[in-house]
Amino acid sequence: MLEIKNLHVSVEGQNILRGVNLTVSPGEVHAIMGPNGSGKSTLAQVMAGKDEYEVTEGQIFYKGEDLAEAAPEERAREGLFLAFQYPVEIPGVSNVYFLKAALNAIRKHRGQEEMDAMDFLTYVRDKMKIVKMDETLLNRPVNEGFSGGEKKRNEIFHMAVLDPTLAVLDETDSGLDIDALKIVADGVNSLRSEKRAFVVITHYQRLLNYIVPDFVHVLVDGKIVRSGGKELAHELEEKGYAWLEEGRAAGASAATV
Amino acid sequence: MSAAIAASATESPARATVQDVYRLGFEGVVRRREGREPRSLTALRAQAFERFSHIGFPGKRDEEWRFTDISPIARSGFRLGAETPSVSAEAIEKYRYSGTHELVFINGRFSAEHSQIEALPEGVVVGSLADALANTPERLEGHLARHAKFEIHPFVALNTALFEDGALIRVPKGVIVDRPINIIHVGRPEGEAFACFPRHMLIAEESSQVTVVEQYGSVGEGAYLTCPVIEVSTEDNAVIDHYKLQRESTDAFHVSTFQLHQLRDSNFSSHSISWGGGLVRNDVNAILAGEGCESTLNGLYMVEGSQLVDNHMRVEHKAAHCDSHELFKGILEGRARAVFNGRIYVHKGAQKTDAKQTNRNLLLSPTALCNSHPQLEIFADDVKCTHGSTVGQLDETAVFYLRSRGIGEEAAKSLLTYAFAADIVGRIKVPEVRRDLEEFLFRRLPRGEVVRQAV
Ligand SMILES: Nc1ncnc2c1ncn2[C@@H]1O[C@H](COP(=O)(O)OP(=O)(O)OP(=O)(O)O)[C@@H](O)[C@H]1O
Ligand SMILES: [Mg+2]
């Protein structure tokens, strides 16, 4: 479903990603962990098509297609979803009507009929239960005045409504109390299916107790330095990133000797 | 009809000749109005015209007109005083709102045919100013030209000298007018460019309440000048909710003066929406003369192509404990230009003044331009005055966020543009005015149908 090959990305002349490889198949959950500034969000945003980031080398294939020329909305309509690390406040645009416009844009692309207001409301109410969203957040402007936790939950709610094939969650767990974390994790788990895949970016191993990944990758300094099963997360928890960073530095110096 | 004066720029390029056009226009008005208005007004017209002859049109060196070049107006020998052309009922239809009293004016003159005034509470006057001047001039004594000073403002001088008609709204003490009063002014260009000078008066007496919509539209294409003056008296404890919609064709020039006078505990609120006109200048002068007044002066302009819109605000706090709030938002495309000049003047005795002024501009093209100038002059020491002005583009992160949910780029930008304007839209209390503005935005914004769905 997703194949990232030797991806190099730079922003404002600075190399952020330096050869990322990642393969995700339907039904899988991949966790990407890594220290601050290692490039996790950059990877997520590049997948979603942010054009500020320049792909200098490598490719991203999604459903077998090279995404290089695809606009963000085209990716979204093809079922790629990114839950933002920092969801954006959009005053003046109602959360629910905006979602309706977004869903209808996606449905249109898929050759499905647009949903009318009544059907949409029934559909949305159902999805709200998944993240135990308060009805008042539906009618408020997108993310405006939402608490940190509400914003994250709203991202999962958007995901549930838009029904993606591949969902990338960028630190959707960060800053959440344990109740909110469980709600987010339950939301994701309830959407897990053999047709859908997840890339879950996180800082903290804690989330992975609730969303159990099939694979864990560690991104350090723009490169995946280690991949493994869910036990890798526990190992990281114990030893910290320094363990891998040191190993890499040692490896690098060894190579230059 | 005999008084129709014509002169075109090609026949009379010299400035003196243009002045002559106005003089002949002035003489025509005096002749036509003779015996139908008090002598004192005729004398006032003469003074105003003398004043205009003396100061002439403002040039670019004039501080108040630095960014707005009105030479296309000054150069034109507009036709003055021509007979009013007819306008079909259909052409007026789009300005009508159900459940309102409607006063229709064509080229500065009242149209009884198109106006519709429903039953009014006792003592309320809603009608033509010219009629009132002819029939009950004593009732207007001391009111006309009381607040709008022509000494310094050439367009106020011209209006005072040349006006033929306008709306007169007077709400007696304690009376509440439920239905909004919709003043519809349409310019109907036919052949040569013309100028008209509507003069509106609105008087809300003690503890009265009224909602007034002031619209300017065009029927057909072609250049002309609308130069309205509206004088508003908000007496003790009165409440006025006012809306202005400037929606003329881009061939039109519009130079208006809004003169507001507020007495003790009065509450005045205005939303000035401007999307039409090629060259638009709005002077808003508010005088908060009694203690405990509240004044809200908000606005939204959306211009494109080579349109220019200039909002010149002057809020004078003369008494203590008054609040004024100004929020003006602008959306600029193409090579459009906007000027915002916001002067707040706090007099010496006006302690506990709370004055807030904000001007925000959204530039949608690299060639659009905005000049925003707050000017605070404060002579009292216990006041709160804030101002802020911003000029910016759409937030790229927000555009990306919306696109990442499947919304197309154009639609995403339109949504954010709409969102920028949304707080002004949301503050409009008359549903039909709000709908009118929304419909305009949906029409104007690319992929407006998506915006319509998403807000
Ligand atoms: N738009 C940008 N302009 C300049 N530098 C950027 C930009 N975006 C990211 N960077 C830089 O790229 C590096 C990686 O940033 P990124 O946000 O991808 O890291 P991250 O792994 O998501 O970090 P965190 O854990 O803090 O979320 C950082 O050094 C950051 O400063
Ligand atoms: Mg990040």
Side-chain angles (χ1 to χ4, degrees):
Chain A
M1 172 182 297
L2 175 74
E3 200 173 357
I4 298 176
K5 284 186 177 166
N6 189 32
L7 187 69
H8 286 69
V9 171
S10 71
V11 190
E12 292 167 8
Q14 203 187 329
N15 298 324
I16 313 284
L17 298 183
R18 312 151 182 261
V20 172
N21 293 290
L22 182 67
T23 303
V24 177
S25 301
E28 295 176 352
V29 174
H30 290 245
I32 296 180
M33 304 184 73
N36 281 330
S38 56
K40 302 183 298 292
S41 292
T42 305
L43 179 62
Q45 305 237 340
V46 160
M47 281 160 68
K50 186 160 183 170
D51 57 10
E52 220 179 294
Y53 297 121
E54 194 194 345
V55 176
T56 52
E57 220 183 309
Q59 286 129 320
I60 304 173
F61 293 95
Y62 172 65
K63 292 183 177 170
E65 304 276 336
D66 187 342
L67 286 185
E69 299 298 323
E73 59 270 28
E74 289 167 348
R75 300 176 195 214
R77 290 168 192 171
E78 280 295 330
L80 199 143
F81 180 87
L82 168 63
F84 279 49
Q85 182 175 5
Y86 304 109
V88 183
E89 295 194 12
I90 320 272
V93 177
S94 121
N95 203 17
V96 64
Y97 292 133
F98 160 63
L99 265 181
K100 178 164 169 262
L103 180 65
N104 279 334
I106 291 171
R107 288 177 66 91
K108 201 171 156 194
H109 176 78
R110 291 181 187 159
Q112 295 168 310
E113 247 178 69
E114 295 198 356
M115 256 193 208
D116 68 20
M118 287 306 286
D119 290 345
F120 181 72
L121 225 61
T122 317
Y123 175 77
V124 149
R125 289 240 161 78
D126 195 42
K127 301 292 179 188
M128 274 168 62
K129 290 183 200 134
I130 294 177
V131 283
K132 302 191 171 61
M133 269 263 294
D134 195 52
E135 179 122 10
T136 58
L137 297 185
L138 266 190
N139 299 312
R140 294 241 303 261
V142 183
N143 294 322
E144 194 190 37
F146 287 26
S147 70
E150 284 170 341
K151 282 182 185 168
K152 301 277 169 132
R153 230 187 288 178
N154 196 37
E155 291 293 277
I156 299 300
F157 170 58
H158 282 197
M159 175 178 82
V161 169
L162 301 182
D163 191 24
T165 319
L166 173 64
V168 181
L169 312 184
D170 190 0
E171 298 208 22
T172 306
D173 59 319
S174 294
L176 296 186
D177 64 37
I178 193 67
D179 295 331
L181 180 82
K182 278 184 186 159
I183 289 169
V184 165
D186 287 349
V188 172
N189 288 330
S190 72
L191 293 170
R192 279 177 87 152
S193 81
E194 61 202 33
K195 291 201 190 102
R196 203 188 321 261
F198 290 87
V199 173
V200 180
I201 293 170
T202 181
H203 230 79
Y204 309 102
Q205 183 270 332
R206 184 181 68 161
L207 175 71
L208 305 182
N209 295 336
Y210 298 94
I211 303 174
V212 181
D214 301 303
F215 301 93
V216 175
H217 310 275
V218 185
L219 188 73
V220 177
D221 205 13
K223 267 190 160 164
I224 290 179
V225 295
R226 183 70 83 89
S227 296
K230 58 177 186 271
E231 63 291 341
L232 179 56
H234 294 285
E235 214 173 327
L236 277 173
E237 178 80 351
E238 277 167 36
K239 300 183 183 167
Y241 293 115
W243 154 61
L244 287 168
E245 286 174 76
E246 277 162 24
R248 209 173 68 89
S253 57
T256 49
V257 169
Chain B
M1 156 161 66
S2 58
I5 312 292
S8 72
T10 45
E11 282 164 16
S12 49
R15 185 190 160 89
T17 319
V18 172
Q19 288 268 359
D20 286 347
V21 173
Y22 286 102
R23 180 167 294 282
L24 288 170
F26 163 64
E27 287 163 6
V29 171
V30 170
R31 236 188 347 266
R32 275 195 302 280
R33 301 290 306 153
E34 197 180 353
R36 293 166 65 204
E37 63 186 31
R39 289 246 166 78
S40 56
L41 176 56
T42 314
L44 191 75
R45 289 183 187 279
Q47 277 175 36
F49 190 74
E50 273 321 301
R51 190 62 198 155
F52 169 72
S53 306
H54 183 68
I55 54 181
F57 284 110
K60 287 196 98 173
R61 250 173 274 146
D62 190 320
E63 187 57 29
E64 297 298 321
W65 298 84
R66 202 147 60 95
F67 298 100
T68 298
D69 177 10
I70 55 111
S71 59
I73 294 173
R75 272 201 312 268
S76 289
F78 292 113
R79 195 158 54 124
L80 300 176
E83 220 177 317
T84 311
S86 68
V87 166
S88 71
E90 295 78 64
I92 305 286
E93 203 50 47
K94 69 172 171 184
Y95 307 108
R96 293 193 190 280
Y97 299 137
S98 68
T100 61
H101 304 283
E102 282 163 339
L103 290 171
V104 177
F105 296 84
I106 300 163
N107 296 1
R109 295 204 186 105
F110 183 61
S111 165
E113 179 198 345
H114 291 298
S115 298
Q116 283 174 11
I117 299 157
E118 310 295 327
L120 286 160
E122 179 145 6
V124 175
V125 177
V126 175
S128 139
L129 178 65
D131 286 353
L133 285 167
N135 303 325
T136 51
E138 64 287 351
R139 299 211 51 206
L140 288 168
E141 221 160 301
H143 282 290
L144 193 67
R146 178 169 168 190
H147 302 302
K149 300 284 177 226
F150 57 74
E151 286 79 5
I152 48 164
H153 199 311
F155 289 96
V156 174
L158 266 184
N159 178 287
T160 308
L162 297 171
F163 82 85
E164 300 208 30
D165 208 341
L168 171 65
I169 298 165
R170 185 167 188 158
V171 186
K173 181 173 170 179
V175 173
I176 288 152
V177 182
D178 290 327
R179 295 176 174 216
I181 298 160
N182 186 6
I183 306 171
I184 300 168
H185 184 278
V186 295
R188 170 91 173 97
E190 265 186 352
E192 265 171 298
F194 69 91
C196 60
F197 302 85
R199 179 82 176 212
H200 304 309
M201 278 183 74
L202 167 56
I203 303 161
E205 291 180 12
E206 188 186 314
S207 302
S208 67
Q209 185 171 331
V210 65
T211 298
V212 174
V213 184
E214 194 192 345
Q215 296 195 68
Y216 295 90
S218 306
V219 178
E221 310 278 286
Y224 67 93
L225 165 68
T226 315
C227 179
V229 170
I230 172 164
E231 282 181 287
V232 180
S233 289
T234 316
E235 297 182 1
D236 289 2
N237 205 38
V239 179
I240 297 180
D241 192 16
H242 169 263
Y243 301 91
K244 175 177 174 179
L245 269 78
Q246 205 298 116
R247 53 198 302 184
E248 289 172 288
S249 87
T250 49
D251 293 333
F253 302 103
H254 184 97
V255 181
S256 76
T257 300
F258 184 93
Q259 190 70 43
L260 168 68
H261 195 263
Q262 284 190 252
L263 294 181
R264 194 183 176 99
D265 301 322
S266 63
N267 190 321
F268 178 84
S269 166
S270 174
H271 288 79
S272 171
I273 314 297
S274 188
W275 71 71
L279 192 170
V280 175
R281 160 78 172 227
N282 297 313
D283 278 77
V284 174
N285 303 315
I287 295 177
L288 283 61
E291 292 193 4
C293 295
E294 192 174 329
S295 203
T296 303
L297 302 166
N298 294 343
L300 175 71
Y301 42 92
M302 181 161 183
V303 282
E304 61 179 353
S306 56
Q307 285 178 289
L308 164 70
V309 59
D310 175 350
N311 284 292
H312 245 71
M313 317 291 296
R314 183 187 171 94
V315 176
E316 262 188 75
H317 282 261
K318 281 193 164 169
H321 300 285
C322 295
D323 293 355
S324 67
H325 321 273
E326 298 168 68
L327 172 63
F328 267 73
K329 290 196 155 188
I331 301 165
L332 285 78
E333 286 179 86
R335 285 172 296 114
R337 286 217 302 122
V339 180
F340 180 84
N341 199 86
R343 190 186 292 270
I344 297 173
Y345 193 105
V346 181
H347 288 257
K348 198 155 170 256
Q351 301 295 13
K352 304 288 179 195
T353 286
D354 188 344
K356 187 172 194 303
Q357 178 193 97
T358 312
N359 175 224
R360 297 201 186 292
N361 295 278
L362 176 60
L363 304 190
L364 296 178
S365 92
T367 45
L369 190 69
C370 166
N371 301 101
S372 182
H373 308 274
Q375 291 176 308
L376 268 49
E377 290 178 72
I378 302 167
F379 299 97
D381 51 21
D382 185 11
V383 302
K384 201 166 96 192
C385 290
T386 60
H387 67 84
S389 126
T390 58
V391 179
Q393 282 102 41
L394 286 176
D395 176 3
E396 281 303 322
T397 311
V399 175
F400 176 59
Y401 183 73
L402 297 182
R403 293 177 74 187
S404 82
R405 304 286 133 109
I407 304 280
E409 182 175 10
E410 258 189 339
K413 289 182 172 171
S414 290
L415 252 177
L416 292 169
T417 305
Y418 184 91
F420 174 81
D423 57 345
I424 299 287
V425 178
R427 283 169 211 233
I428 296 176
K429 287 192 221 132
V430 178
E432 295 205 82
V433 175
R434 194 169 57 233
R435 222 165 297 140
D436 226 349
L437 175 58
E438 282 170 349
E439 285 304 323
F440 160 73
L441 290 167
F442 297 151
R443 269 197 316 275
R444 166 70 80 84
L445 295 167
R447 308 302 309 257
E449 72 284 0
V450 179
V451 182
R452 188 195 295 274
Q453 223 189 95
V455 297

